[in-house]
Amino acid sequence: MTAVADRSLGPELARTDGIGPDTDVLVIGVLSRDDGPVIAAADVFDEALDAETRERLLAALLAVGAKGKAEELTRLPAPDGLGVTSVLAVGLGAEDKLDAEQIRKSAGVAARALAGSATAVTTLSGLDLGAAAEGFYLGAYTFTAFKSGKSAPKPGEQPVRRVEFLVPTPDSGAEELMRAQAIAEAVATARDFVNTPPNALFPAEFADRAAELARAAGLDVEILDEKQLEEAGFGGIVGVGKGSSRPPRLIRITYAGGDRKVALIGKGITFDTGGISIKPAANMENMTSDMGGAAAVIATTLVAARLGLPITVTATVPMAENMPSATAQRPGDVLTQYGGTTIEVINTDAEGRLILADAIVRAGEDDPDYLIDVATLTGAQMVALGTRTPGVMGTEEFRDRVARLSQQVGENGWAMPLPSELRADLNSKIADLANVSPHRWGGMLVAGIYLKEFVPEGVQWAHLDVAGPAYNTGGPFGYVGKGGTGVPVRTLVAVLTDIAGE
């Protein structure tokens, strides 16, 4: 899976039961204890890292003041006979608090520190092979497709090319590594889509790239262009796309794997100026990320097929560019959503819910058992929950299930209510609904209440607002670099896997 042609999304991952002759670096984990740091899981691999070598490494770490604090990095020359040039020790934090997410984070930090190395081998697989693999793969992710000349990475700055995971026997961990790599590649695919600039990823191009990936995976694809959308009555998608010279699209990708049906919907605004209700200029460039929900559901549908989950997954993805122009929709216009609901457009910058509503109604025609929509929908999400915590709304039982699974995989979705008293704020004097409320209170929840109007009765539904978590505007942390994060792909995969196991 790749969103940019002829490009590797991450390092080659492999299992090994020993340190090979071409290995450059050994990566070990260090735990923090009250009585001093200890090397984690090294005794699992006695042949590769015997007790004497472990003692020498620990003495060297103590000599340079290593504590084992979470994500602390210490680079050491390798002891004679180890078969590598250097040892990279990464902190795992307190032993009693160690979990899969910390292993992922520490592996990600280590992966960035391995830039310039050809091959690394690690003992972190002795703690959790899957988490370590995801962390190394995603931590090594870079996006340099538009860098050239002096700004392109030099040979010594390239991400690590191969990471080998020590396992007890040659047959250990094959399935676990395959699954981890598939999920990590899906996250990286979503990141690539988000990181591609809007002049290179407008609606038609986005739909074509997604279709290319889906067809290569053997999935069914349907694309509606602007004329077909207008003829079919997709008033939300058409209305939002009216202001751009790059017309909108709706793509549907189906993986038919079983009787139980899951609908995924992702907001695909390839760039959001706010339209006539234009945004401030400062930081508007970050609105290249406003298709993060679309990227996530496309990548998730692809990996559901790759993992062979015994369910049917259909991604319904509306794509538009929200621009101001002589043809753009105006505040005060009335449009008709797919299915017939009329909407008074009070604010053209509340466009995501307009295209999502069309897609939700269309997805409902397939009679899904579950429906999940994902969107970088509201700035209010960041006000309420910060930049790393997705808001999860929807039918209560399924909402809580999605939030719980999100927390288990480290994406930390948080269940939020849809208070009934906020519904009246969406009443319009001239149409069935207004697209915003007349105040700023509970903006994330109001958007969820708007979408609820279009969800079919009896369908288990979850709405994920990832306005902050889908795009990192700050420095790298854990296994997340600057730019697209791929959130919430791992949450969606966990939910689909859970549904498949029912």
Side-chain angles (χ1 to χ4, degrees), residues 247-406:
R249 294 288 185 270
L250 177 72
I251 183 169
R252 283 168 48 81
I253 300 171
T254 299
Y255 158 63
D259 293 335
R260 196 175 299 272
K261 295 188 287 188
V262 182
L264 300 180
I265 293 97
K267 176 185 173 184
I269 298 294
T270 58
F271 192 77
D272 184 18
T273 67
I276 296 298
S277 307
I278 198 163
K279 296 177 181 289
N283 302 315
M284 194 193 287
E285 69 277 7
N286 294 332
M287 288 298 99
T288 184
S289 67
D290 212 17
M291 33 61 66
V297 302
I298 291 166
T300 299
T301 306
L302 294 170
V303 78
R306 183 172 173 181
L307 295 174
L309 297 181
I311 56 177
T312 289
V313 181
T314 299
T316 302
V317 185
M319 299 172 173
E321 191 174 58
N322 190 23
M323 300 288 284
S325 74
T327 59
Q329 67 178 352
R330 297 157 290 250
D333 282 358
V334 172
L335 59 78
T336 303
Q337 301 270 194
Y338 184 73
T341 303
T342 58
I343 307 298
E344 181 184 8
V345 179
I346 303 296
N347 187 326
T348 65
D349 193 25
E351 85 296 331
R353 65 200 70 183
L354 299 177
I355 69 170
L356 287 172
D358 277 359
I360 288 171
V361 176
R362 174 62 188 89
E365 293 177 346
D366 299 329
D367 296 320
D369 300 292
Y370 298 89
L371 189 152
I372 307 169
D373 74 84
V374 183
T376 51
L377 202 57
T378 66
Q381 177 273 321
M382 291 181 278
V383 174
L385 295 174
T387 59
R388 300 188 191 179
T389 304
V392 185
M393 291 144 275
T395 52
E396 290 188 7
E397 182 181 350
F398 190 49
R399 172 202 66 190
D400 292 348
R401 181 179 175 185
V402 171
R404 182 179 68 254
L405 290 166
S406 182

Side-chain angles (χ1 to χ4, degrees), residues 190-269:
R191 289 181 178 183
D192 258 16
F193 275 131
V194 172
N195 290 331
T196 302
N199 62 320
L201 197 73
F202 44 91
E205 178 67 13
F206 191 8
D208 287 347
R209 291 194 190 189
E212 181 182 0
L213 291 173
R215 288 175 179 135
L219 307 186
D220 293 331
V221 178
E222 176 190 17
I223 299 176
L224 300 184
D225 64 19
E226 68 274 21
K227 292 180 181 179
Q228 293 167 310
L229 288 167
E230 188 159 11
E231 289 171 1
F234 287 90
I237 302 171
V238 171
V240 173
K242 282 168 56 177
S244 176
S245 61
R246 304 173 189 271
R249 294 288 185 270
L250 177 72
I251 183 169
R252 283 168 48 81
I253 300 171
T254 299
Y255 158 63
D259 293 335
R260 196 175 299 272
K261 295 188 287 188
V262 182
L264 300 180
I265 293 97
K267 176 185 173 184
I269 298 294

Side-chain angles (χ1 to χ4, degrees), residues 169-192:
T169 68
D171 297 328
S172 301
E175 182 70 21
E176 189 176 2
L177 182 60
M178 182 282 292
R179 178 179 172 83
Q181 181 162 351
I183 293 170
E185 286 183 7
V187 174
T189 295
R191 289 181 178 183
D192 258 16

